Amino acid sequence: MKYILDGKAMKDADRYTIEETGMPSLVLMERAALKTLEVMEQEELDLSNVLIVCGSGNNGGDGFAVARLLLQRGKTVTVVLAGNPDHCTEETKTQRKIFENCGGITMREIPKGDYTAIVDALFGIGLSREVSGHYAQILKKLNSMSGKKVAVDIPSGVSAASGEILGTAFRADMTVTFAYQKAGMVLYPGASFAGKVFVADIGIYLNEQVCGQRYVTYEKEDIERFRPKRKPDSNKGTYGKILMITGSSGMSGASYLSAKAAYRTGAGLVQIFTSEANRIILQSTLPEAIVSVYTDETDAALLLKEKLEWADIICLGCGIGTSETARKITDTVFGYLSEQPKNCVVDADGLNLIASMEEEKKERYLRGAGKCLIFTPHVKELSRLLSKTVEETKKNRISLAQQYSENYNIVLAAKDARTVVTGKGLFPYLNMSGNAAMAKAGSGDVLAGIITGLLALGMDRYEAASLGVCIHGFAGDAARETYGEHGVMAEDIIEMAASLSGEVNWKGTKQR
Ligand SMILES: NC(=O)C1=CN([C@@H]2O[C@H](COP(=O)(O)OP(=O)(O)OC[C@H]3O[C@@H](n4cnc5c(N)ncnc54)[C@H](O)[C@@H]3O)[C@@H](O)[C@H]2O)[C@@H](O)CC1
Ligand SMILES: [K+]
């Protein structure tokens, strides 16, 4: 498990380390420079003729320190101070002086030439507004030059908080970032400007009461660490009775994928409640599942009540469509959960149907059932839940998801290239696994199934959603390795997720 910070939280960690623990700022800067150089050497960059562009803030100070270290190693270094020399921080002034005392020369304009490597030390986490004018010109020029591009701490022009490009940004091949990853180099589009990211420990640590935004993220090894172990004396009932209210006529695939994903994640018993049209196909493709059906003539809502009583955990929505029957089903489920809370994952049209309910009823349902719900909306579904435009939702996805969770106590997995999981009073989980090969029909059904399966293993809602998103992404990464960028199918993610979960390793042999 790791933390990811925005610029404000990182500044607070700097401040805490310097002011409260007494670690001198220049010591941190020296370590930052040494680590940057170490990574450049490790990555076998040609350092024979390096251009370093420094700003007047402490990011520029890091740049001067790297320049001096290169100089001391006998390399040719061209240093340009792009910021106003009078506005330099004390640390940057000191670093400039040391660099010049070692024989370095500080230029004010970028001299023409072919550089083997270009180091961006213009702005770091102190970037506070759009990059324009002289600075924008410099970044554009650097981007157009050949030579490997290295960003110090964060590519200049990328917002450390949101990953937005503030005007223009440095397009790095690699970024050496200090202490913690910044959200801006994880979230898009910033992530695609950062290149390969190296996190360097320079001795800055978080104060528990840190201000700003702090995210949690899981790495691959966390899957084994956090996923509950199976009890030796367990039976199928130990892992919950899952009711999956999924599929509709012509949409058996959503039922199949979500139920199979729940089983492969570890669920003991899965019952699918779906349209009569899906009975035969589901019984033949997934004989492990109990299949209960409604027909056009039966009252689906009435049948459903009995199933809801039976269930410990519910998953609603994958492939149910927005028919009148689906509407009645959704109404029944939310009505039931408001009275009798049972953990429930709501996905796809289940979300669209709750979003389209009449306000008073929706509010009553969300307030009544909020504490047992996990919603898994993509941006469009989230925009419907929030009654906002897709653009607005996309731009403020994380803060809107947080507000929604705070308001209703619902756990939200707000899906995107970087899915975020929010829960009331909790640090948001920011997911780093996954790739574009997963942008395929059925991938969301698989995620809903995995999260439901983790609930069945006894995880709480926020943990199940976070670990589920993490497993889903890593499984997608493994599937891409096997089937390539374009060839991944949703079902491959299920198989890979099962292997990831520790039952078998990548080659399919037993680990334990
Ligand atoms: N002692 C410390 O605090 C340490 C800081 N470190 C480095 O210092 C960086 C943070 O330093 P600072 O807080 O000084 O901030 P920056 O170096 O990121 O730059 C802030 C400066 O740029 C100006 N500025 C911001 N946005 C601008 C824009 N769009 N156009 C023109 N000027 C703009 C600000 O007014 C300020 O003068 C980190 O990213 C890291 O690289 C590291 O050396 C580790 C230790
Ligand atoms: K930078």
Side-chain angles (χ1 to χ4, degrees), residues 11 39 85 106 119 152 175 214 238 287 336 339 373 395 397 417 419 431 466 472 478 498:
K11 270 212 165 290
V39 171
T106 306
V119 178
V152 176
T175 298
R214 185 192 321 195
T238 315
Y336 178 84
E339 304 286 318
L373 297 173
K395 191 164 190 302
R397 181 176 59 108
T419 296
N431 193 54
S466 303
H472 185 250

Side-chain angles (χ1 to χ4, degrees), residues 321-341:
T322 51
S323 66
E324 196 42 41
T325 305
R327 193 171 301 280
K328 277 192 196 148
I329 285 176
T330 303
D331 196 60
T332 307
V333 174
F334 276 92
Y336 178 84
L337 294 176
S338 306
E339 304 286 318
Q340 198 118 3

Side-chain angles (χ1 to χ4, degrees), residues 209-427:
Q209 276 87 47
V210 70
C211 58
Q213 179 73 281
R214 185 192 321 195
Y215 300 90
V216 172
T217 196
Y218 290 149
E219 299 169 289
K220 206 181 218 166
E221 48 272 29
D222 291 321
I223 297 174
E224 263 312 272
R225 216 171 123 211
F226 292 116
R227 193 185 65 117
K229 303 278 175 281
R230 246 172 156 70
K231 299 178 193 87
D233 59 344
S234 55
N235 57 58
K236 68 182 178 208
T238 315
Y239 303 106
K241 288 179 284 181
I242 293 179
L243 178 66
M244 307 203 82
I245 307 158
T246 53
S248 52
S249 180
M251 292 286 278
S252 58
S255 300
Y256 168 77
L257 290 168
S258 52
K260 188 168 182 190
Y263 262 136
R264 280 272 196 236
T265 305
L269 188 56
V270 177
Q271 175 165 192
I272 304 171
F273 185 72
T274 189
S275 159
E276 163 71 18
N278 297 332
R279 186 203 291 271
I280 293 173
I281 185 147
L282 288 174
Q283 280 180 333
S284 42
T285 53
L286 196 64
E288 297 87 348
I290 304 169
V291 182
S292 316
V293 297
Y294 53 85
T295 63
D296 288 343
E297 293 76 44
T298 52
D299 185 343
L302 202 69
L303 281 175
L304 183 54
K305 285 225 169 97
E306 177 199 317
K307 307 292 171 199
L308 290 166
E309 282 296 335
W310 170 87
D312 300 316
I313 292 149
I314 298 152
C315 174
L316 166 73
C318 311
I320 60 167
T322 51
S323 66
E324 196 42 41
T325 305
R327 193 171 301 280
K328 277 192 196 148
I329 285 176
T330 303
D331 196 60
T332 307
V333 174
F334 276 92
Y336 178 84
L337 294 176
S338 306
E339 304 286 318
Q340 198 118 3
K342 285 180 181 176
N343 281 346
C344 177
V345 177
V346 186
D347 186 43
D349 278 327
L351 297 167
N352 293 330
L353 288 166
I354 184 81
S356 66
M357 271 180 199
E358 170 247 310
E359 275 312 309
E360 183 276 324
K361 186 194 255 184
K362 177 165 64 182
E363 193 63 19
R364 179 157 44 84
Y365 282 170
L366 295 180
R367 297 249 164 254
K371 60 177 174 294
C372 66
L373 297 173
I374 300 177
F375 281 3
T376 53
H378 53 54
V379 174
K380 207 162 181 184
E381 287 156 356
L382 184 60
S383 74
R384 291 186 189 118
L385 283 171
L386 300 167
S387 309
K388 294 202 183 294
T389 63
V390 172
E391 290 67 39
E392 241 181 307
T393 308
K394 206 169 170 50
K395 191 164 190 302
N396 304 307
R397 181 176 59 108
I398 299 177
S399 57
L400 289 169
Q402 272 187 295
Q403 281 165 28
Y404 198 81
S405 286
E406 288 302 326
N407 190 15
Y408 295 113
N409 196 4
I410 292 172
V411 168
L412 258 183
K415 296 185 290 196
D416 205 0
R418 292 282 188 241
T419 296
V420 170
V421 177
T422 55
K424 190 178 168 84
L426 299 163
F427 295 128

Side-chain angles (χ1 to χ4, degrees), residues 31-50:
R31 287 183 186 154
L34 280 164
K35 285 280 186 185
T36 305
L37 191 56
E38 194 180 298
V39 171
M40 285 161 64
E41 284 172 342
Q42 236 174 47
E43 290 298 292
E44 297 180 350
L45 262 60
D46 179 352
L47 301 177
S48 54
N49 187 15
V50 182

